């Protein structure tokens, strides 16, 4: 994390801490006033307490949201970097077998650009019936000709577990079929 981000985070933490201290002081003052039998809490004082509480809560939620967003972005970058640098050809298919992710090695093996394959159904681009191995929660292998380029490719499919079969994503490893 950069120094600037650390200071920004510390700034939000300081705002939250100070707001909480002020809120506690205001509530404590109101409670002490009631206990001593002094003046009653006015409607405006209650409104101030509630508004301060809401503002503190909003600041807290904003900081949490920033932290979660940062974590999601960092994890996505790590995952993309890992997938892009694998020596194996990897595709990730959605439940309808459309290509969501393709790494450079898979593009090389298939002989097609990643942009040409993204959001395309894989099972319609191969001369063999991939549907039989695109089964949720299962592992299957099959060779077939990739119709866009005429290359013979070996497909290894892992159906990723999901609560419902129709929600299952598939991880597909591709490698050229060795001839000779």
């Amino acid at each position: 994390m950069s120094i600037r981000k650390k200071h920004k985070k510390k700034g939000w933490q300081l705002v939250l801490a100070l707001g909480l201290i002020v809120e506690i002081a205001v509530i404590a003052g109101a409670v002490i006033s009631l206990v001593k039998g002094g003046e009653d809490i006015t409607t405006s004082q209650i409104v101030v307490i509630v508004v301060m509480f809401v503002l503190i809560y909003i600041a807290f939620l904003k900081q949490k949201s920033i932290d979660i967003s940062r974590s999601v972005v960092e994890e996505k970058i790590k995952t993309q970097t890992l997938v892009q640098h694998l020596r194996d050809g990897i595709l990730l298919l959605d439940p309808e077998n459309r290509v969501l992710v393709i790494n450079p090695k898979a593009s090389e093996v298939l002989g097609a650009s990643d942009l040409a394959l993204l959001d395309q159904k894989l099972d319609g681009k191969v001369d063999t019936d991939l549907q039989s191995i695109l089964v949720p929660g299962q592992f299957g292998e099959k060779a077939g000709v990739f119709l866009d380029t005429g290359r013979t490719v070996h497909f290894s499919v892992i159906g990723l577990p999901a609560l419902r079969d129709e929600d299952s994503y598939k991880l597909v490893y591709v490698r050229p079929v060795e001839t000779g």
Side-chain angles (χ1 to χ4, degrees), residues 2 6 11 22 24 27 33 43 45-46 54 68 72 96 108 112 123 140-141 145 155 159 162-163 166 173 179:
S2 73
K6 284 182 183 177
V22 169
I24 291 170
I27 292 171
S33 176
T43 305
Q45 288 173 320
I46 291 172
V54 168
I68 290 169
V72 168
E96 285 80 41
E108 177 187 320
D123 44 349
E141 295 185 291
V145 175
F155 298 90
L163 294 175
E166 58 268 18
Y173 294 88
T179 57

Side-chain angles (χ1 to χ4, degrees), residues 54-134:
V54 168
L55 291 175
I56 291 168
Y57 190 67
I58 289 171
F60 172 76
L61 290 178
K62 181 173 180 170
Q63 181 59 46
K64 280 296 182 195
S65 174
I66 290 168
D67 291 345
I68 290 169
S69 296
R70 185 176 297 124
S71 295
V72 168
V73 168
E74 287 172 357
E75 288 304 314
K76 185 175 182 179
I77 290 169
K78 287 178 194 174
T79 302
Q80 285 177 335
T81 301
L82 175 69
V83 169
Q84 294 303 316
H85 291 90
L86 285 174
R87 291 185 295 180
D88 297 324
I90 301 286
L91 299 125
L92 178 65
L93 307 181
D94 71 6
E96 285 80 41
N97 299 326
R98 288 189 305 259
V99 177
L100 295 177
V101 176
I102 180 169
N103 72 348
K105 183 64 176 182
S107 293
E108 177 187 320
V109 168
L110 295 171
S113 76
D114 55 351
L115 293 177
L117 291 171
L118 285 173
D119 205 38
Q120 299 295 312
K121 284 192 164 207
L122 182 64
D123 44 349
K125 295 192 164 285
V126 181
D127 73 338
T128 188
D129 177 28
L130 284 183
Q131 200 61 39
S132 63
I133 62 169
L134 293 172

